[in-house]
Amino acid sequence: MSSDRWTWSLTGATVAGVSALYVGCAPRAVPGGDSGELITAACELGVAHPPGYPLFTMMSSLMLSLLPLSSPAHSINVLCAVFGAGASGALCFTVCRVAEPGPGAVLAGGVFAVSRLVWQWSVVAEVFSLNNLFVGVLFSLSACFHCADTVQQKKKFALWGALFCGLSLCNQHTLVLYVVVIIPWALLHLYTHNGLSFFDLVSLGTCFLAGFVPYMYLPVSSYLNRARWSWGDQTSVHGLLTHLLRAEYGTFSLAKTNESLNLLEMLRAQWNHCVNDLTVPVLALALLGMLLSLRSRLRCIFVCLIVTMVSIYSVFFAWRANLNIEKPLLLGVVERFWLQADAGVCVLAGLGLSWLVCCLTGHLGKGTVWNTGAWILTAGLISHMISLNHRDCDQSSNDVVDRFSREVVLSLPQGSLVLTRGDLPGNTLRYQHYCQSLRPDLSLVDQEMMTYNWYVAKLQRHLPGVTFPGHRWDPVNAVEKKTFSIEQFLKRNLHRPVFVCIGLTEGDPSWEGSFSRWPWGVCEQLLPVKTPFDPKKWAQKTHNLYNWSEPHDSFHPGSWERVANEEMWQARMKTAFFLFDLAENAEKEQQGRLYEISYKLYCQIVDSQVDYPANWDKNLALAAERLLQSGGRGYGLDSLMSRSIRHFSRYLKREPSDPQSKAIRSIITHLRKEREKFRDRQKA
């Protein structure tokens, strides 16, 4: 078989194998993170968060039209799985072009595909699999350009490369750090081969700019304003640049925070990820590839290109990643961006294995033996990584986040106005509301977006029944002209039930004097302070709002499933905690009744569970102790003291490092003495 046919056969086999693996693992429901927002943008043909991701949105919308599966989320998850498979095939093709078709090429594509992070983010509706595909395509075109025999062939690949450099920046802007290395390298290469005329420069520039054409989608979508949910106003040059440059997030930063981590600590975290996810043998082969490239100038130039891109990217990202990776969820946000560097490492490993086989064959002969050994090594590594990661990365039956959002949406009263905060409720509730047409009677307003100048102007027409008393919400300075406070907003929307999910944005306390927050599962209802409150009726109304059966503490700490599950578990306790808190500041006549209802709720909830959050023990023990001080109100004093002692002791066993542990032990000692005295009196 010719080298070209062998190359395409290996590439096709890699894409087919990874596609089968990925499509089978893709979730049927909406995942957490940005997925809900990206899918909603595709359903509505709106604009996603900065920088807009126009290419991803249009391709996802096309997928929904051409291949509607069990749900919009399932269709776009499968599309991303195909992108991911294409990325692994592109890496395989790159090694085939630079070295030769063989086990090294399959190793590069296969190991990349089945490494934990790549697999995890290639089967969900996120922009990372498309970014990986563009990385692979740029590597492939660079390899073809570098290995081309004639100047005319180099020019052809340079034009395609320029087009894809521009096109890749219509997805994720982190690729600019690869593009700024590839462009001068390619121009210098053409110049040294006498292939760079003024006409060639114009042609390359035209192709590069042509790659940005998908960005025309942003002003068109914004101008038409048909999407019921969309981000930003791109109808002006200023608005378009604000969105493209991520000015609302902080250009070249991950989020609007002042947090930062030491550069070396971030690089160390990335290195630990490479050791754990890509494995030591792959890193050793990558190092070997760099060393063996020194034997040939042609090899060395391409390897230096890959190493330069990976190094610049890793250092720059570590410098600008302003999130605290000591928190598991934020580490999950950061580590997704390491995939771009992983692709380069896997290519180097594939080249290392290919050149090692050539080197051993040249020096020792017996090429069949070394080639067979390389195939066995490749198959062994890929099989080992599949067995290691399949359980965590198979998301085909994962519908935790989807069920979370459904339960929340279905629990709300008719015609409610919901103020969402954060990615979990915001993105998932929007998906259910707009893509699945669940509860069309609701109105969803995003608290953060309501602070932007464009939000009210662009989306008010799509929110009938919602009154905005100004152009935007300013939590800090509501007296400024054309802005409003949350209190003013609530007063103008008293005609319908208003809920906040999850919590209210800090900085605007204006509502505190005129409104109260009553717990409603993971949400809270905002009601005027003069609204009569019947604790018993409210407890009955909010009891068993959700049908939730996931075990406590059953998901990875850095996952959105963990966050959703924790919210659902803590929601069970919200009313009991609210009543207890209310009792602490109530008059004595009302205090005992509130403690009694709170204690009863705590007992029902705790006694119905085998495993539950540790703070439940502490809360129940406190409720029993407070009810004891109120005279018991029909409950036996001995049973209240025993209950308080038991749950305080259980809490200390589960949380020995609690700052209040000394005070809790003192309370336990005191209660035991009081219980003994009480029992002695009973005997007498």
Side-chain angles (χ1 to χ4, degrees):
M1 187 183 292
S2 68
S3 178
D4 280 351
R5 289 186 64 185
W6 186 219
T7 294
W8 286 110
S9 297
L10 283 182
T11 301
T14 301
V15 172
V18 175
S19 293
L21 180 67
Y22 279 1
V23 170
C25 293
R28 273 63 174 163
V30 63
D34 293 331
S35 297
E37 181 208 318
L38 293 168
I39 299 168
T40 303
C43 290
E44 292 288 307
L45 277 177
V47 177
H49 66 273
Y53 306 106
L55 191 61
F56 183 90
T57 303
M58 289 189 288
M59 294 179 78
S60 297
S61 181
L62 189 64
M63 179 71 175
L64 292 175
S65 301
L66 298 180
L67 191 61
L69 299 178
S70 58
S71 68
H74 189 198
S75 295
I76 299 178
N77 291 337
V78 167
L79 175 66
C80 290
V82 173
F83 289 155
S88 65
L91 299 188
C92 175
F93 183 87
T94 301
V95 175
C96 288
R97 275 286 176 262
V98 178
E100 60 180 21
V106 175
L107 178 96
V111 164
F112 180 74
V114 299
S115 63
R116 180 185 63 86
L117 271 186
V118 175
W119 192 345
Q120 178 183 334
W121 291 105
S122 293
V123 296
V124 294
E126 289 275 6
V127 297
F128 298 98
S129 60
L130 181 57
N131 188 67
N132 292 340
L133 176 58
F134 277 123
V135 171
V137 169
L138 291 180
F139 282 179
S140 298
L141 289 171
S142 298
C144 291
F145 172 83
H146 182 63
C147 298
D149 295 324
T150 66
V151 173
Q152 289 306 313
Q153 287 179 326
K154 288 182 183 294
K155 286 183 179 181
K156 180 184 73 173
F157 288 119
L159 291 172
W160 280 109
L163 176 65
F164 275 93
C165 279
L167 205 57
S168 66
L169 296 179
C170 292
N171 186 52
Q172 193 164 293
H173 285 180
T174 54
L175 257 177
V176 72
L177 296 170
Y178 280 12
V179 170
V180 296
V181 176
I182 291 174
I183 289 177
W185 170 78
L187 292 176
L188 181 63
H189 201 83
L190 284 173
Y191 178 76
T192 55
H193 287 77
N194 297 318
L196 192 62
S197 64
F198 177 76
F199 176 76
D200 294 323
L201 276 174
V202 172
S203 300
L204 290 169
T206 303
C207 287
F208 179 67
L209 293 176
F212 288 92
V213 167
Y215 273 121
M216 293 300 297
Y217 167 84
L218 302 186
V220 171
S221 173
S222 186
Y223 175 76
L224 294 175
N225 198 20
R226 291 175 182 170
R228 290 173 294 173
W229 182 87
S230 189
W231 186 306
D233 181 3
Q234 296 83 32
T235 54
S236 66
V237 174
H238 177 264
L240 181 62
L241 290 177
T242 297
H243 206 73
L244 291 182
L245 299 177
R246 303 176 76 253
E248 291 165 336
Y249 276 2
T251 306
F252 299 126
S253 297
L254 283 185
K256 291 192 300 184
T257 69
N258 295 321
E259 287 190 57
S260 61
L261 202 68
N262 181 276
L263 176 68
L264 293 178
E265 288 181 17
M266 188 66 76
L267 289 173
R268 190 181 300 114
Q270 184 178 356
W271 169 253
N272 291 336
H273 145 72
C274 289
V275 172
N276 294 327
D277 286 359
L278 298 181
T279 72
V280 173
V282 171
L283 296 180
L285 286 171
L287 178 61
L288 189 62
M290 288 187 279
L291 294 174
L292 291 175
S293 70
L294 300 175
R295 297 164 57 90
S296 163
R297 183 174 177 274
L298 191 67
R299 294 178 180 178
C300 189
I301 291 173
F302 187 79
V303 166
C304 285
L305 175 70
I306 299 291
V307 171
T308 302
M309 287 192 287
V310 170
S311 301
I312 290 175
Y313 175 77
S314 298
V315 172
F316 186 88
F317 180 77
W319 172 49
R320 297 303 303 169
N322 59 333
L323 290 175
N324 183 5
I325 59 173
E326 292 176 3
K327 299 176 182 177
L329 189 65
L330 297 184
L331 173 62
V333 172
V334 169
E335 63 183 5
R336 305 175 299 177
F337 294 88
W338 294 336
L339 305 182
Q340 190 167 313
D342 287 356
V345 174
C346 289
V347 166
L348 292 175
L351 293 174
L353 183 60
S354 295
W355 290 336
L356 177 62
V357 171
C358 291
C359 186
L360 290 172
T361 302
H363 285 81
L364 303 174
K366 300 181 181 179
T368 305
V369 174
W370 304 119
N371 205 45
T372 303
W375 277 113
I376 293 172
L377 175 64
T378 298
L381 270 174
I382 293 174
S383 300
H384 171 69
M385 293 175 72
I386 289 175
S387 65
L388 205 63
N389 298 325
H390 185 269
R391 184 177 177 182
D392 290 335
C393 296
D394 182 6
Q395 301 294 307
S396 55
S397 59
N398 182 1
D399 63 348
V400 174
V401 172
D402 186 89
R403 283 190 291 112
F404 166 86
S405 56
R406 279 181 170 272
E407 291 289 338
V408 172
V409 166
L410 293 173
S411 73
L412 297 167
Q414 185 76 16
S416 295
L417 168 57
V418 187
L419 302 176
T420 61
R421 187 182 74 154
D423 287 345
L424 181 62
N427 294 340
T428 57
L429 266 61
R430 274 195 291 269
Y431 167 77
Q432 300 292 357
H433 184 64
Y434 295 121
C435 295
Q436 297 284 58
S437 300
L438 196 64
R439 296 296 304 274
D441 57 289
L442 301 180
S443 295
L444 304 182
V445 174
D446 190 285
Q447 294 181 46
E448 181 190 358
M449 293 184 192
M450 197 161 53
T451 64
Y452 295 139
N453 290 320
W454 51 265
Y455 185 78
V456 173
K458 296 295 290 184
L459 296 185
Q460 187 171 20
R461 61 175 285 194
H462 301 297
L463 293 167
V466 181
T467 304
F468 295 94
H471 288 191
R472 70 181 179 91
W473 173 32
D474 189 339
V476 179
N477 184 21
V479 296
E480 186 183 330
K481 191 178 180 182
K482 297 182 180 179
T483 64
F484 57 88
S485 67
I486 195 65
E487 181 190 27
Q488 293 170 326
F489 178 82
L490 294 172
K491 285 182 176 179
R492 295 291 292 274
N493 291 280
L494 286 173
H495 56 284
R496 57 194 305 186
V498 181
F499 292 84
V500 289
C501 299
I502 301 170
L504 264 173
T505 301
E506 296 176 1
D508 184 355
S510 61
W511 62 275
E512 293 175 357
S514 48
F515 287 87
S516 299
R517 290 197 295 187
W518 296 4
W520 187 280
V522 300
C523 305
E524 294 166 302
Q525 185 170 4
L526 285 163
L527 290 157
V529 290
K530 294 182 180 179
T531 306
F533 178 65
D534 186 327
K536 196 169 184 179
K537 285 185 179 179
W538 192 260
Q540 292 171 349
K541 196 174 185 180
T542 58
H543 186 58
N544 289 331
L545 275 175
Y546 309 128
N547 178 25
W548 194 256
S549 57
E550 293 294 335
H552 169 63
D553 206 18
S554 56
F555 298 100
H556 186 275
S559 67
W560 285 105
E561 289 76 15
R562 174 68 165 252
V563 177
N565 194 37
E566 285 296 316
E567 288 291 345
M568 281 299 190
W569 273 85
Q570 295 298 344
R572 291 177 167 130
M573 273 289 186
K574 265 193 169 180
T575 298
F577 182 83
F578 174 74
L579 295 176
F580 179 88
D581 195 48
L582 214 58
E584 294 285 271
N585 302 306
E587 295 178 2
K588 199 153 190 178
E589 300 169 1
Q590 182 76 353
Q591 193 176 55
R593 182 168 176 252
L594 289 170
Y595 280 137
E596 180 189 357
I597 300 171
S598 176
Y599 174 73
K600 186 179 179 181
L601 286 174
Y602 274 129
C603 288
Q604 289 175 354
I605 298 164
V606 172
D607 292 345
S608 65
Q609 304 295 334
V610 177
D611 183 29
Y612 49 81
N615 68 305
W616 287 18
D617 281 315
K618 185 179 181 181
N619 291 348
L620 176 51
L622 283 169
E625 191 264 341
R626 292 293 197 279
L627 187 57
L628 183 67
Q629 291 180 13
S630 298
R633 293 185 64 88
Y635 287 90
L637 301 184
D638 189 290
S639 69
L640 287 174
M641 285 187 279
S642 297
R643 174 79 83 162
S644 189
I645 291 167
R646 183 167 67 252
H647 286 282
F648 267 140
S649 301
R650 191 178 294 173
Y651 174 73
L652 285 180
K653 191 174 181 181
R654 299 175 69 182
E655 295 287 340
S657 59
D658 187 296
Q660 298 177 322
S661 58
K662 189 175 179 181
I664 294 172
R665 287 190 181 93
S666 176
I667 294 171
I668 292 171
T669 303
H670 173 73
L671 287 171
R672 280 176 176 158
K673 288 178 181 177
E674 291 297 315
R675 185 175 64 178
E676 288 303 315
K677 290 178 184 177
F678 177 78
R679 287 176 177 176
D680 289 342
R681 287 197 298 270
Q682 291 292 97
K683 289 176 185 177

